Amino acid sequence: DYAEAYHNAGNTYLQLGDFKNAKKYFDLAVKYNPRIWQTHQDLAIIHFNAKEYTQAAHELELAIKLAPQVDTL
């Protein structure tokens, strides 16, 4: 599945601290499947690190909406 592959690529870049490429791949993951809550959580991290707090909050809200049972969000 493309969304999962893009999410995994984004996660790799995120772990390397390459936020620009991580965001590119997370955005592609959202394009193919906007219901992966982990992608939104990771996008929130990227926005937070860029001091884009409104966008970070928006992504976290989406993650919580998609996975209300996850208590670590």
Side-chain angles (χ1 to χ4, degrees):
D1 148 356
Y2 289 120
E4 187 174 334
Y6 286 131
H7 175 83
N8 290 338
N11 219 12
T12 299
Y13 281 112
L14 182 62
Q15 290 174 0
L16 293 171
D18 185 345
F19 298 127
K20 181 180 177 182
N21 278 313
K23 183 176 183 320
K24 178 175 83 173
Y25 283 100
F26 288 141
D27 286 342
L28 285 167
V30 169
K31 177 181 173 183
Y32 284 96
N33 184 354
R35 303 200 51 79
I36 301 174
W37 68 267
Q38 296 95 330
T39 304
H40 294 288
Q41 180 184 33
D42 291 335
L43 280 167
I45 292 167
I46 290 169
H47 286 299
F48 186 84
N49 281 305
K51 297 182 176 22
E52 298 167 344
Y53 302 119
T54 301
Q55 294 95 324
H58 174 72
E59 293 295 344
L60 276 180
E61 288 171 4
L62 287 172
I64 291 167
K65 184 177 179 180
L66 292 169
Q69 74 282 4
V70 177
D71 59 1
T72 58
L73 288 173

